[in-house]
Amino acid sequence: MPFPFALPTTSSVLLSDCFESATHPSLPLAATTKRSVLKDALKKHKRLSQRQRAAHLPTVKNAVTEYIPYLLAINAAAGLGNVGVERLDLGVKRLVQVEWRTTLSATLPGREPPRPLLVGLHHEIAFTLSTLAYVHSLLARTQLRTLFEATVASADQRTSAISAAMKHLLEANSIHNYLLSLLSVSAAKDAPIDIQPSTISGLASLALAEATLIVVSKDDPYAAAVAEDKNESNTDWMFKAPSIPKVRAHLFARICLASAEHATQAQGLLGRSGSTAGKIDEDLVKYATNLRRTARGKAARFLGIDAELSGKTGEGLAWLQGAKKELGLAVELEDGQRKGFRGLKHSWQERREDKKVEKSGEWGMDAGKLEEARVVEMLEAKWDKENSTINVQLVPTYEPLLAGMPSGREYHTPQPYIPPSVDAETLARMRTPPDPIEEAALRRDEDDSGDEAGYGARTGAPVGPFPGTGGDYARSGTSDSYY
């Protein structure tokens, strides 16, 4: 949590071959330069290890942010002829043809996702802004990872990490909504599944669901208690039950239900598959499903806490049973431990998830479902012991309780995304002709981020020879042997 998006890579393209400007002749070349920096950053990011990618994310974010003003300036000039208050004469020499790797498309195991040829500037805008949204989601993952590490974070550290992650997720939601507001993007019929309107809308709902759900994590002492109990270096053997005011427990439940509603919407939108656009990766659809389960499980757990604080321990236990049902953890407990084959399976999955966190792997694909299951089982074991020895209340069935859950309550008010723009001074400098040396450098045959088949596949030379000695390894005209 959040979803570990894979950043796409892109091919080389010279925007100066596609556009020309009589008033600002340096604009297409400046945009090409910024795009080349972004292409190289994405290519380098893909080749890094999982542990190194987190530190490289700010570099990718800066590259995308610096390219967007020039890209949107060209788009505005090509459509209306104005960039802000300044008139810009821009002519189209030919349509933009670019390749972007579709990282959200379902592919066969072991194969790279396809990188189709896209025609039109609107596809370039959609993939560029989507990449920025993915980066914000990954930055949120980086912040939240500190909450799942072996070292227990302090209250101030938890608050700081969750607040930063929340800002990144809300920014990702705003970027996706901004993309939907662009008619050229929302009305595109030939777009890949990654930038289809249904996919963008689903990703916007997913980011808002994640941002809403982590609101309660900041003030949820039960999750922190489980993380502390899981820490092997913890020497505290006595556990004092944390306390939550009654009103806040009910409020947290409604916030979780609002998150579940957004996750349900994301699940429905991402689950669609078009015959021509392709199909979304099953891992993303499964993540949206797990996020909905986690949100509803948290809501049931907080409603159980609200009942237990009112002295209704039996009803609280019923809510916890409902929470396990929502989480898909319908197993019985024996002395606070799971039993049965499904119990062993869930325990194995939790240990596997802990190892992924330690090794900086693709943790969090369950959207926090296993962590929430630990909290529910901890409370159930504690309350069941109290109810068996002190209160002795009947535990009602949980089905009527789940059917009577309250409505969700929104916490965030998403703000519209305001893309960066080229300032007036920079735009004025682009009235000068472009530098021929810089233009010639960009026209050189540079490595493409999609050339992953090796040196021999790019040049036609056999693998192994030093540059310039390919002729020494060529086949003879009368033999089929290299020797």
Side-chain angles (χ1 to χ4, degrees):
M1 184 162 117
F3 184 77
F5 290 98
L7 297 184
T9 52
T10 181
S11 63
S12 302
V13 62
L14 293 176
L15 297 176
S16 55
D17 287 346
C18 304
F19 304 96
E20 60 180 355
S21 176
T23 58
H24 299 74
S26 295
L27 175 59
L29 182 62
T32 303
T33 304
K34 297 296 183 181
R35 190 187 188 281
S36 180
V37 174
L38 171 60
K39 178 186 71 68
D40 292 340
L42 292 174
K43 180 173 62 175
K44 181 179 179 181
H45 185 84
K46 181 181 179 181
R47 296 175 178 177
L48 295 175
S49 63
Q50 289 288 347
R51 191 176 296 273
Q52 294 172 327
R53 287 179 180 176
H56 190 252
L57 284 173
T59 302
V60 180
K61 177 177 176 291
N62 291 336
V64 183
T65 306
E66 291 178 1
Y67 172 52
I68 287 176
Y70 296 88
L71 176 62
L72 296 182
I74 290 178
N75 183 60
L80 301 176
N82 294 328
V83 177
V85 297
E86 188 165 350
R87 179 70 181 179
L88 197 152
D89 183 9
L90 187 72
V92 180
K93 295 194 289 186
R94 64 178 178 87
L95 293 177
V96 176
Q97 294 185 354
V98 64
E99 295 177 359
W100 281 87
R101 192 170 300 284
T102 55
T103 56
L104 299 185
S105 300
T107 56
L108 294 176
R111 290 191 179 183
E112 282 279 2
R115 202 173 75 166
L117 180 64
L118 307 174
V119 180
L121 192 62
H122 57 290
H123 292 318
E124 173 76 5
I125 295 173
F127 266 103
T128 301
L129 287 173
S130 294
T131 301
L132 180 59
Y134 301 159
V135 169
H136 278 290
S137 295
L138 293 175
L139 287 172
R141 277 178 59 85
T142 304
Q143 293 292 334
L144 293 177
R145 188 182 183 278
T146 57
L147 307 183
F148 297 93
E149 291 177 342
T151 304
V152 178
S154 63
D156 293 339
Q157 290 175 334
R158 288 180 62 88
T159 301
S160 176
I162 291 172
S163 299
M166 196 183 306
K167 292 179 180 178
H168 284 300
L169 291 172
L170 290 176
E171 188 71 9
N173 169 263
S174 300
I175 294 172
H176 288 307
N177 287 329
Y178 175 79
L179 272 175
L180 290 174
S181 67
L182 299 178
L183 295 179
S184 59
V185 175
S186 59
K189 302 298 183 182
D190 58 338
I193 191 64
D194 294 50
I195 54 175
Q196 284 283 328
S198 59
T199 303
I200 298 175
S201 180
L203 293 176
S205 298
L206 189 67
L208 185 57
E210 293 167 338
T212 304
L213 189 60
I214 65 175
V215 169
V216 302
S217 301
K218 183 170 58 175
D219 299 319
D220 184 7
Y222 297 93
V226 169
E228 186 175 355
D229 182 67
K230 186 179 63 176
N231 183 20
E232 296 180 355
S233 62
N234 182 31
T235 57
D236 296 336
W237 58 274
M238 295 186 64
F239 173 71
K240 180 180 181 300
S243 59
I244 293 182
K246 176 182 176 182
V247 177
R248 298 197 66 181
H250 194 272
L251 174 63
F252 287 170
R254 295 188 62 189
I255 293 176
C256 291
L257 289 172
S259 175
E261 293 173 2
H262 294 301
T264 302
Q265 185 178 4
Q267 179 188 358
L269 291 169
L270 296 174
R272 300 177 183 176
S273 59
S275 57
T276 58
K279 188 177 181 180
I280 287 291
D281 187 12
E282 286 295 330
D283 287 340
L284 181 56
V285 180
K286 188 182 298 183
Y287 174 84
T289 304
N290 287 334
L291 184 62
R292 177 186 60 83
R293 284 182 171 273
T294 302
R296 289 188 61 86
K298 280 182 180 288
R301 192 243 300 178
F302 278 117
L303 291 173
I305 293 174
D306 184 55
E308 196 273 339
L309 291 175
S310 302
K312 303 176 183 178
T313 307
E315 182 179 335
L317 286 170
W319 276 115
L320 293 183
Q321 292 177 2
K324 292 202 299 180
K325 178 66 175 178
E326 294 289 349
L327 294 170
L329 192 69
V331 294
E332 298 294 334
L333 291 180
E334 184 175 354
D335 296 330
Q337 301 294 327
R338 297 175 186 149
K339 64 178 182 178
F341 175 75
R342 293 187 63 187
L344 292 174
K345 180 181 177 181
H346 282 286
S347 299
W348 175 78
Q349 289 176 342
E350 288 182 4
R351 290 194 296 271
R352 185 181 180 186
E353 189 72 12
D354 293 340
K355 291 181 179 179
K356 287 181 180 180
V357 175
E358 295 174 2
K359 297 180 180 180
S360 299
E362 296 298 338
W363 61 275
M365 294 297 290
D366 65 332
K369 187 174 66 173
L370 295 177
E371 287 293 326
E372 181 60 26
R374 285 173 171 171
V375 179
V376 170
E377 290 178 347
M378 176 197 71
L379 289 176
E380 186 179 19
K382 179 177 182 297
W383 293 354
D384 183 66
K385 181 179 291 186
E386 291 179 356
N387 192 53
S388 300
T389 57
I390 302 175
N391 298 324
V392 192
Q393 296 181 10
L394 293 177
V395 180
T397 57
Y398 61 83
E399 287 85 358
L401 296 177
L402 294 181
M405 275 187 169
S407 59
R409 176 173 176 177
E410 295 291 344
Y411 183 85
H412 297 295
T413 303
Q415 302 297 319
Y417 173 69
I418 302 177
S421 58
V422 182
D423 59 88
E425 182 179 353
T426 303
L427 203 59
R429 288 199 300 266
M430 294 181 188
R431 294 181 179 275
T432 59
D435 187 358
I437 299 178
E438 183 180 358
E439 187 173 5
L442 287 174
R443 291 184 180 277
R444 293 174 185 169
D445 187 16
E446 59 180 354
D447 289 338
D448 188 6
S449 59
D451 295 336
E452 293 145 359
Y455 172 78
R458 294 195 300 269
T459 64
V463 178
F466 290 98
T469 63
D472 298 336
Y473 296 84
R475 296 172 184 256
S476 64
T478 60
S479 174
D480 292 333
S481 172
Y482 284 108
Y483 306 97

